């Protein structure tokens, strides 16, 4: 009896263990049934209110809810969208004509007044961090619903207001009735939100009132997946049809080599770089140039991060029209030249510990980074590279908030960052990272304490220069100044990616990072 | 010589694992002899190479030789685990002996402190401590020591309590022996065998905990060749460069098994109850 009971319990135990090994019915099958798109992506915000956070505006637009008066094409040239015509004479007063027939997803007409109502909500969000005034400093907004025109009068002339209006913060949402931008924004995009759980999931249905053609999927399920492994595994298991930006080069290559998946990669407008803090040991220009010479950007971009970045030396991506090809890189990769520079400057290792010294002190750099878009991989590789020429690098990989605080407090020598260089179609805001004119004001973004009068003069000139060709010239000049000063350690330009299974087609990633779910993505059959 | 042969004949298992453990320590000490590469030397162009005659265990994401990093990793892992065990063995046992011998308020304070420590899940508390102190292998050792000493304290206390009131101790007290003498001469020798066995069996466990903390980013920091950290670095390449996980994982597995079995067989050798 005892033996029998032992065997019985043993068998039950084994069965209980084995029962956990089963898979769901049908196993790993493709998630798409033709009507439903399942999308795995990273969720950055815990709201969809564009006035609340810039990330929220992006998240909102990314899943096809909100749209702007203008949008960007893949060369980051602004194109008409909800607005089909505009005019300005003095760059202060701008008149926009709202396209006929555009409706919100609830069937309400998009009128000039509804655009103003929405903008007033966004501008009026005093607790938000989107800082819309930074992009558009308006004096008055008036609507002529008969003529379908919206007139915006600015406090100061702007070169191209359309670019700012194409920024996701200025999406047009319906404000009639008991509206809720946070969790139920009503937009003009192809999809309508039906449920939203921040950082977990969202479900959407096709917008029956969509103004710009047919909406390909009846339903969309968005899964906010926190890490890359989850995205990879979910796509492999067939739990999603489409994922964005897998940042493991090895996984990306695996999908590219597999006929069951399509990989779309586009050189985006993001630049991966490290700020060089000019308040510390790196105020030494020779040292900066030697470091920049010692780093092999091509190998870093192609091998270390597996092609997820396109190598480059300027702060603005080579794909943009800001004269990259006319620039001269004073520090092409040349280890011997780097070593010679350091030796000639007298920065040698005199105490035999393998680390060079400046004024008797070891050259030890505090490199802060965070695990985003392969930045920490760059940091580790640079640590190793510089170690070989006798420069000690201590890598501190932390989270983005801590890194930001350390950067603002100047507690670094090198600080990794990844910027959308022309988020609103223009690099002026991005170039403020090296502009010293805002120091001591709220607008200061120059956390690396770089100072160059010539650079500042060019930056100031941008504010009053409305001719696009001349602006491009100024911007090219500014890039060359940064290069000549060895002011930035540029890693390369981040390539965005979409990876889809074969149940969907035309899932192509766009240059601008906020157009994900568009009507271009269709079921395969 | 005859005695050694007799000991080996009687304790085959212990001898085998002792030799293996000594072998591991030898590997750690002789690391530079066993490999021609530098564990920190990156070759960015040669990243993620599969195991080959040139690189026995393949290369990692920075093109560093994985075999070399694992060999050097034994230095970090062994030294750290032995340090943790030494700290908790000495610290924990000492506190336990004091609590058991003196009793009353001293006992209450030490034991309630120990109760507080064991009321938290060990690893979670270690993560919290490592998180507060900052991530480094030294802080990981401190974190694990803080949460692990209680076992030794409780055990040594109970062993001391067993003999605290036996006649020879009372005799020592009434003949005017100093407390330090009693502790040294009677208490510690009595508890030592059990405590040593516990310490030996703990080496493997401590190694796992340290590797766990490093894996989670609270222990060793890049570019240190540490097995837990290497596992984490290999995690993202699990499907494409599995050797980056397999070999550090195997290294941890083999080492933990050797030290666990060494501890077990040491118990067989030392435990008088079996005789």
């Amino acid at each position: 009896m005892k033996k029998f009971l032992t065997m019985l319990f043993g068998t039950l135990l084994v069965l209980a263990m084995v029962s956990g090994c089963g898979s769901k019915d049908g196993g790993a099958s493709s998630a798409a049934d033709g009507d439903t798109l399942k999308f795995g992506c990273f969720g950055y915000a815990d709201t969809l209110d564009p006035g609340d956070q810039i990330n929220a505006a992006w998240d909102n637009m990314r899943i096809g809810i909100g749209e702007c008066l203008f949008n960007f094409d893949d060369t980051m040239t602004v194109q008409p969208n909800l607005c089909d015509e505009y005019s300005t004479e003095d760059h202060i007063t701008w008149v926009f004509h709202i396209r006929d027939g555009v409706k919100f997803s609830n069937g309400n007409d998009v009128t000039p007044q509804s655009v103003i109502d929405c903008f007033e909500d966004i501008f009026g969000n005093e607790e938000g961090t989107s800082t819309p005034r930074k992009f558009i400093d308006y004096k008055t907004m008036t609507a002529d619903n008969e003529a379908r025109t919206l007139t915006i009068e600015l406090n100061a002339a702007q070169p191209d207001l359309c670019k700012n209006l194409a920024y996701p913060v200025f999406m047009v949402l319906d404000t009639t009735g008991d509206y809720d931008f946070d969790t139920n924004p009503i937009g003009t995009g192809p999809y309508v939100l039906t449920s939203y759980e921040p950082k977990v999931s969202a479900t959407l249905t096709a917008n029956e009132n969509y103004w710009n053609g047919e909406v390909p999927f009846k339903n969309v399920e968005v899964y906010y997946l926190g890490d890359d492994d989850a995205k990879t595994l979910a796509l492999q298991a067939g739990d999603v049809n489409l994922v964005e930006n897998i940042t493991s080069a090895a996984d990306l290559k695996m999908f590219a080599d597999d006929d069951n998946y399509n990989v779309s990669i586009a050189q985006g407008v993001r630049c991966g770089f490290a700020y060089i803090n000019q308040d510390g040991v790196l105020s030494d220009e020779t040292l900066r140039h030697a470091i920049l010479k010692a780093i092999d950007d091509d190998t870093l971009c192609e091998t270390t991060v597996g092609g997820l970045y396109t190598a480059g030396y300027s702060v603005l991506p080579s794909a943009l029209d800001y004269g990259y090809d006319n620039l001269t890189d004073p520090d092409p990769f040349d280890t011997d030249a780097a070593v010679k520079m350091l030796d000639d400057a007298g920065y040698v290792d005199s105490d035999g510990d393998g680390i060079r010294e400046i004024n008797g002190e070891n050259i030890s750099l505090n490199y802060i980074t965070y695990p985003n878009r392969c930045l920490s991989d760059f940091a580790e590789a640079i640590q190793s590279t510089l170690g070989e020429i006798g420069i000690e690098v201590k890598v501190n990989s932390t989270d983005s908030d801590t890194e930001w605080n350390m950067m603002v407090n100047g507690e670094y020598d090198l600080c990794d960052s990844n910027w959308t260089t022309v988020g609103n179609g223009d690099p002026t805001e991005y170039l403020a990272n090296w502009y010293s004119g805002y120091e001591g004001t709220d607008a200061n973004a120059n956390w690396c304490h770089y100072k160059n009068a010539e650079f500042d003069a060019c930056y100031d000139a941008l504010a009053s220069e409305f001719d696009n060709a001349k602006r491009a010239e100024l911007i090219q000049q500014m890039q060359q100044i940064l290069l000549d000063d060895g002011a930035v350690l540029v890693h390369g330009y981040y390539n965005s990616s979409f990876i889809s299974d074969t149940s969907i087609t035309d899932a192509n990633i766009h240059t601008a990072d906020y157009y994900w779910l568009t009507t271009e993505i269709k079921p395969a059959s | 010589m005859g005695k050694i042969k007799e000991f080996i004949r009687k304790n085959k298992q212990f001898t085998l694992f002792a030799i293996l453990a000594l072998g591991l320590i030898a590997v750690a000490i002789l690391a530079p002899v066993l490999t021609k590469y530098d564990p920190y030397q990156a070759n960015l162009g040669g990243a993620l190479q599969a195991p080959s005659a040139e690189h026995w265990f393949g290369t990692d994401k920075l093109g560093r030789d994985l075999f070399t990093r694992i060999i050097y990793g034994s230095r970090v892992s062994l030294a750290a685990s032995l340090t943790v065990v030494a700290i908790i063995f000495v610290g924990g046992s000492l506190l336990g002996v004091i609590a058991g011998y003196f009793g009353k308020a001293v006992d209450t304070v030490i034991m309630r402190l120990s109760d507080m420590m064991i009321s938290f899940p060990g690893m979670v508390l270690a993560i919290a401590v490592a998180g507060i102190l900052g991530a480094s292998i030294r802080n990981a050792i401190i974190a694990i020591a803080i949460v692990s000493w209680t076992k030794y304290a409780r055990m040594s206390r109970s062993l001391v309590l067993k003999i605290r009131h036996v006649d020879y101790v009372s005799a020592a007290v009434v003949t005017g022996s100093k407390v330090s003498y009693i502790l040294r001469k009677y208490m510690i020798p009595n508890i030592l065998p059990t405590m040593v066995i516990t310490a030996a069996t703990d080496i493997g466990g401590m190694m796992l905990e340290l590797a766990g903390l490093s894996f989670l980013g609270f222990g060793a920091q890049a570019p240190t060749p540490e097995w837990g950290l290497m596992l984490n670095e290999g995690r993202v390449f699990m499907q494409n460069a599995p050797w980056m996980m397999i070999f550090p994982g195997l290294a941890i597995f083999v080492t933990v098994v050797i030290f666990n079995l060494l501890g077990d067989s040491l118990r067989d050798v030392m435990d008088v109850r079996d005789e």
Side-chain angles (χ1 to χ4, degrees), chain A residues 303-319:
Chain A
T303 311
T304 309
V305 299
L308 280 169
Y309 280 76
T310 301
Y313 42 79
S314 179
V315 288
L316 284 171
S318 46

Side-chain angles (χ1 to χ4, degrees), chain B residues 60-115:
Chain B
D60 69 2
K61 63 178 177 179
L62 297 182
R64 295 173 297 205
D65 182 59
L66 216 54
F67 175 72
T68 307
R69 286 180 67 74
I70 283 171
I71 294 288
Y72 277 87
S74 63
R75 289 183 167 190
V76 181
S77 295
L78 281 179
S81 330
L82 292 175
T83 310
V84 171
V85 172
I87 292 171
I88 57 178
F89 171 71
V90 174
S93 305
L94 206 65
L95 284 171
V97 170
I98 292 170
Y101 186 81
F102 293 102
K104 293 180 187 160
V106 178
D107 184 30
T108 310
V109 169
I110 294 175
M111 283 303 112
R112 293 305 79 78
L113 195 65
S114 133
D115 288 345

Side-chain angles (χ1 to χ4, degrees), chain A residues 210-357:
Chain A
Y210 189 51
W211 62 277
N212 194 15
E214 203 179 320
V215 182
F217 290 97
K218 278 187 188 162
N219 303 298
V220 175
E221 293 172 14
V222 176
Y223 297 97
Y224 292 117
L225 302 173
D227 76 9
D228 275 1
D229 292 342
K231 286 187 208 163
T232 300
L233 294 171
L235 185 62
Q236 284 180 323
D239 291 333
V240 294
N241 318 109
L242 174 68
V243 297
E244 49 79 32
N245 288 313
I246 285 180
T247 54
S248 153
D251 286 349
L252 203 58
K253 185 175 181 305
M254 175 184 71
F255 284 122
D257 292 344
D258 188 334
D259 289 343
N260 295 314
Y261 300 97
N262 295 316
V263 175
S264 163
I265 294 183
Q267 185 184 327
V269 293
R270 283 184 173 275
C271 178
F273 65 92
Y275 292 100
I276 297 180
N277 188 355
Q278 314 245 344
D279 250 3
V281 64
L282 291 176
S283 59
D284 186 300
E285 193 171 342
T286 309
L287 180 60
R288 288 201 304 271
H289 282 294
I291 286 172
L292 294 174
K293 275 190 171 58
I295 294 168
D296 181 3
D297 290 328
D298 289 335
T299 308
L300 283 179
C301 289
E302 282 161 27
T303 311
T304 309
V305 299
L308 280 169
Y309 280 76
T310 301
Y313 42 79
S314 179
V315 288
L316 284 171
S318 46
L320 295 176
D321 209 7
Y322 291 111
Y324 184 90
D325 294 335
N326 303 326
L327 299 172
T328 313
D329 178 14
D331 301 308
F333 170 55
D334 187 343
T335 309
D336 295 339
V339 169
K340 188 171 180 306
M341 266 182 102
L342 292 170
D343 289 345
D344 290 350
Y347 304 155
V348 291
D349 172 23
S350 53
D351 57 8
D353 63 354
I355 304 169
R356 293 169 186 269
E357 294 117 46

Side-chain angles (χ1 to χ4, degrees), chain B residues 25-40:
Chain B
I25 293 167
V27 164
I29 293 168
L30 299 175
V33 183
L34 295 172
T35 169
K36 58 181 174 176
Y37 296 102
D38 175 342
Y40 296 98

Side-chain angles (χ1 to χ4, degrees), chain A residues 70 111 159 260 286 303 437 451 520:
Chain A
F70 296 86
T111 61
N260 295 314
T286 309
T303 311
K451 264 199 180 84
E520 293 162 11

Side-chain angles (χ1 to χ4, degrees), chain A residues 23 56-57 77-78 106 136 150 156 171 176 180 216 268 302 316 336 342 359 371 375 392 432 453 483 523:
Chain A
S23 65
T77 308
V78 74
N106 57 7
I136 301 175
L150 160 71
M171 64 175 56
T176 56
D180 171 17
E302 282 161 27
L316 284 171
D336 295 339
L342 292 170
N359 303 327
L375 289 178
E392 184 183 43
L483 280 169

